[in-house]
Amino acid sequence: SRHIAVTGSASGIGQALAEQLIGAGDTVIGIDLKDADVCADLGTPTGRAQAVEAVLERCGGVLDGLVACAGINTPSPALVSVNFFGVTALAEGLRPALAAAAAPRAAVVGSISGTQPVDDEVVAACLAGDEAAALARAEVVMGEGPQKLYPSSKAALAQWVRRDCVTPQWAGAGIPLNVVAPGVVRTPMSAALFADERMKQVMDRAVPMPLNGYAGPEVIAEALSWLIGPSNTHMTGQVLYVDGGAEVSLRGPAV
Ligand code: NAI
């Protein structure tokens, strides 16, 4: 059976994906703050190193798939540590184990928010791999416009995927690396937003979903499943919007 590491496995999209993969016969190594096979804080370098070590032990150094779902949306500098470095550092740490597998695959969860206005300095610091600089700039952004932090973390993540997916380390090692960018998904994360009717109205304007409205987490999980499945031999570096038409509604038909 394939060994697939899934971050954020205790809730929402990660939990739905873990259930689907287990149902299909895979061995899932769930990673989360709690209620997981590997309990670690991906927001810290120590937690990431612990997670890498624990996953390597569980998969015997050969990892068939990695899906990074863990993320937070509460406006704070920690956003960049969890949503960007918690994904990229973990992926880099596990990449040799992926390269050792027969048909390795990796995917991360971005967001439609990655298309919204970002702070260029936060994005640049993330892409430079400079967590201290990203955190320092995020502190400044907190005072100026904290709503830019989440989009910045997700835009940086998508750009990291598109930059690195074609390198010898990823494409050269036979590892497809893609992003699924959801619109609004019914999970504990969005439930917090929708508890506030005014916030819900803001969200509905910011993320229009003419095709079937809000998605369930299993819908996002299905797209991730295909990306890390055996059929995906040639798609890499793509940002798949699974968003009820939000990206097209916001950006228009030009490609
Ligand atoms: P969720 O809150 O239900 O699940 C996220 C999981 O990540 C939780 O189990 C949480 O404990 C874990 N996590 C958070 N910080 C962590 C850390 N430092 N270390 C380890 N684990 C940590 O959220 P949901 O909705 O399932 O989100 C999954 C991904 O989808 C996130 O990256 C989120 O940004 C993204 N997303 C969600 C949307 C939505 O409407 N729910 C829309 C677009 C993107």
Side-chain angles (χ1 to χ4, degrees), residues 124-191:
C126 286
L127 289 169
D130 190 340
E131 190 169 4
L135 283 170
R137 177 62 195 169
E139 287 287 356
V140 176
V141 175
M142 276 301 288
E144 293 175 353
Q147 73 281 357
K148 279 192 175 172
L149 277 181
Y150 183 75
S152 299
S153 70
K154 294 297 190 177
L157 183 59
Q159 288 185 49
W160 174 82
V161 164
R162 289 181 61 77
R163 183 189 69 190
D164 284 10
C165 69
V166 288
T167 58
Q169 287 75 24
W170 291 94
I175 316 169
L177 174 62
N178 292 281
V179 185
V180 170
V184 179
V185 189
R186 279 191 216 90
T187 68
M189 181 187 278
S190 57

Side-chain angles (χ1 to χ4, degrees), residues 30-101:
I31 308 164
D32 209 303
L33 289 169
K34 57 183 175 66
D35 303 327
D37 303 303
V38 173
C39 293
D41 181 356
L42 298 173
T44 70
T46 311
R48 293 168 206 148
Q50 284 168 351
V52 167
E53 198 182 326
V55 169
L56 293 180
E57 200 173 299
R58 283 179 175 260
C59 71
V62 181
L63 186 63
D64 300 288
L66 167 67
V67 185
C69 303
I72 54 173
N73 68 346
T74 37
S76 75
L79 268 176
V80 299
S81 289
V82 178
N83 295 2
F84 184 84
F85 294 98
V87 178
T88 58
L90 188 77
E92 276 157 7
L94 292 173
R95 199 196 51 77
L98 288 165

